[in-house]
Amino acid sequence: MTRNRPLLILAAAVALLLVASVAQRVLHRRAVTSPATATVVAADFDPADINRVTVGAGDDSLAVVLERLGEGWVARTAWDHPVDARKLQELLAAMDSLQGDFRSDEAAILDDYGLGPQSAPVKVTLYGKDWQAVGALLLGKRA
């Protein structure tokens, strides 16, 4: 019996690890309630209706301010320097169709991705024709 004791302990440890692995998979499936890929910017907006784009992080929420003036765009935070409208429209179109992998429903893991309140994530905010925010995208903390 004493010769088989290490073998029995090893078998019990393997069985315990197998049970833990199955339990972890089951609990993960229950915790993840959204599809694997989801729309990132939840707002439904028309890129042609956007009049203002702001980019900032933490206390500096208006580090970059881009505004539509007539048919063109200017950078308000760069002495009204003209902005390449084509590139800005490409950015808006990309944000309108942005998809991402779903990670979790838990707010506690936001800091792991640099998106929590302690991280001061970079935030891109879009404003519509009535100058009200229509959507925002958090990009994680600055490196």
Side-chain angles (χ1 to χ4, degrees):
M1 183 72 171
T2 58
R3 289 164 74 190
N4 292 337
R5 187 175 184 150
L7 187 58
L8 291 174
I9 292 172
L10 181 61
V14 168
L16 185 62
L17 288 173
L18 184 62
V19 168
S21 175
V22 169
Q24 182 182 14
R25 288 182 189 202
V26 169
L27 291 174
H28 177 71
R29 285 190 188 125
R30 288 182 186 163
V32 178
T33 58
S34 295
T37 304
T39 302
V40 174
V41 180
D44 185 23
F45 68 92
D46 181 3
D49 291 340
I50 300 301
N51 281 337
R52 185 178 200 214
V53 178
T54 62
V55 181
D59 293 335
D60 192 10
S61 62
L62 299 176
V64 177
V65 177
L66 309 174
E67 287 185 359
R68 185 188 307 265
L69 275 182
E71 294 299 314
W73 285 82
V74 296
R76 290 289 192 196
T77 50
W79 304 280
D80 291 347
H81 187 76
V83 173
D84 186 342
R86 181 183 53 83
K87 289 183 180 178
L88 188 61
Q89 291 303 324
E90 288 174 4
L91 171 70
L92 294 174
M95 285 181 69
D96 189 34
S97 62
L98 193 59
Q99 296 272 311
D101 292 333
F102 180 78
R103 297 294 180 197
S104 176
D105 287 341
E106 300 296 322
I109 70 161
L110 290 176
D111 279 326
D112 294 346
Y113 296 98
L115 298 171
Q118 305 301 324
S119 301
V122 174
K123 182 177 182 180
V124 179
T125 307
L126 307 176
Y127 296 86
K129 287 187 175 182
D130 57 357
W131 301 98
Q132 298 295 316
V134 296
L137 176 65
L138 296 176
L139 299 173
K141 66 181 177 185
R142 291 189 292 197

